Amino acid sequence: MSTLDIKDLHVSIETEQGKKEILKGVSLTINTGEIHAIMGPNGSGKSTLASTIAGHPRYTVDSGSITLDGEDVLQMSVDERARAGLFLAMQYPVEVPGVTMTNFLRTAKTALDGEAPKLRTWTKDVKEAMSQLRIDADFAQRNVNEGFSGGEKKRVEILQLELFKPKFAIMDETDSGLDVDALKVVSEGHNRVHEAGGLGTLLITHYTRILRYIKPDFVHVFVDGKIAEEGGPELADRLEEEGYDRFLPTAAKA
């Protein structure tokens, strides 16, 4: 079992108005095999947490720690974090002109494992994963995400998850912009990886609809850069019924 441990994390960014604190003391422990859902209103710090774990340079860690099996994640470069077993499914996947899907996937897999995958086995694995995610085979020769729809980009994120097999997946609003059919396909892809290898998942979402397909073990409510409440799947059901009003200051409700 592997453990991703976040302790008293304080994170800020520089704005035109000066330094702004986003995360205000977040503590969270995720083990492989567990699914943790993070829910909360816009601007509560959910995506900041995801970006900080992944190593986005915009965010400054003022104090606190992130460790993976006791190793200091904050001292790792972005590629070292990936090789250590961290994977970020981005909310807004970027286009990479001039790089085909085939070249990108095999190059990334080689970098992660330290050796190139055997071509015959790899080709079979890629075709099978694309078929299960209902990604047209022609997409293998297209440039990464170039001209892809929002749903197609999200399926490609899960394609990477299936092929790279990380220890932990941080899924930053992967459900945003998906219709019901695409949501089911994406969720099924995640669940295949989870069931096959004991993936640990940090699932960031506004809504409970993805939680109908990816069942969380724990739910954490983010408000104003902190975890305001924690519970099991029943907490997500309560949020669906009540919203986030009870967590917000009276002035914010007015």
Side-chain angles (χ1 to χ4, degrees):
M1 181 180 74
S2 290
T3 301
L4 181 63
D5 197 15
I6 302 164
K7 291 184 177 178
D8 196 24
L9 190 65
H10 291 254
V11 174
S12 62
I13 59 171
E14 289 295 329
T15 70
E16 292 181 358
Q17 291 73 40
K19 181 177 176 179
K20 179 180 180 181
E21 187 177 30
I22 306 294
L23 300 184
K24 304 174 182 179
V26 174
S27 294
L28 182 63
T29 299
I30 308 168
N31 297 308
T32 46
E34 297 177 348
I35 299 174
H36 292 247
I38 289 185
M39 306 182 71
N42 286 327
S44 58
K46 304 184 300 299
S47 291
T48 295
L49 176 62
S51 296
T52 301
I53 295 171
H56 195 296
R58 183 187 181 198
Y59 300 94
T60 300
V61 176
D62 298 311
S63 62
S65 64
I66 304 174
T67 58
L68 175 55
D69 294 334
E71 297 293 322
D72 188 354
V73 170
L74 298 177
Q75 293 302 311
M76 298 178 186
S77 62
V78 173
D79 60 305
E80 287 172 337
R81 297 181 197 206
R83 285 196 295 271
L86 298 178
F87 175 85
L88 173 64
M90 293 183 285
Q91 183 177 0
Y92 303 110
V94 297
E95 296 185 1
V96 188
V99 179
T100 65
M101 288 283 298
T102 296
N103 288 338
F104 164 69
L105 292 171
R106 194 160 192 264
T107 301
K109 183 66 171 176
T110 301
L112 289 169
D113 293 353
E115 61 181 5
K118 294 181 180 179
L119 191 56
R120 182 177 297 179
T121 304
W122 175 249
T123 301
K124 177 178 174 292
D125 290 345
V126 172
K127 286 182 178 178
E128 182 178 333
M130 289 181 68
S131 176
Q132 289 178 316
L133 289 164
R134 301 180 193 175
I135 300 172
D136 194 291
D138 292 344
F139 276 55
Q141 301 308 317
R142 291 178 60 178
N143 293 335
V144 178
N145 290 329
E146 192 170 39
F148 292 13
S149 69
E152 289 165 346
K153 289 179 180 180
K154 297 300 178 71
R155 293 185 197 200
V156 168
E157 294 288 285
I158 303 303
L159 174 65
Q160 295 170 52
L161 179 66
E162 291 211 55
L163 295 172
F164 298 162
K165 297 178 172 59
K167 294 177 182 176
F168 293 95
I170 299 96
M171 298 176 66
D172 187 11
E173 297 195 32
T174 303
D175 54 335
S176 65
L178 297 183
D179 61 27
V180 174
D181 290 335
L183 181 63
K184 288 180 180 179
V185 170
V186 163
S187 299
E188 288 167 359
H190 165 274
N191 292 341
R192 280 193 296 273
V193 182
H194 180 263
E195 292 163 7
L199 177 74
T201 301
L202 186 63
L203 176 62
I204 296 169
T205 183
H206 284 295
Y207 309 107
T208 59
R209 64 177 193 149
I210 194 171
L211 304 184
R212 298 170 193 157
Y213 307 106
I214 300 177
K215 304 292 186 182
D217 301 295
F218 307 94
V219 175
H220 313 270
V221 182
F222 253 50
V223 178
D224 191 28
K226 296 177 285 190
I227 295 176
E229 188 170 335
E230 298 176 293
E234 71 284 347
L235 179 54
D237 295 333
R238 185 177 179 188
L239 291 171
E240 178 79 357
E241 294 177 4
E242 301 178 0
Y244 299 106
D245 272 5
R246 65 191 174 93
F247 298 105
L248 302 176
T250 302
K253 300 177 189 178

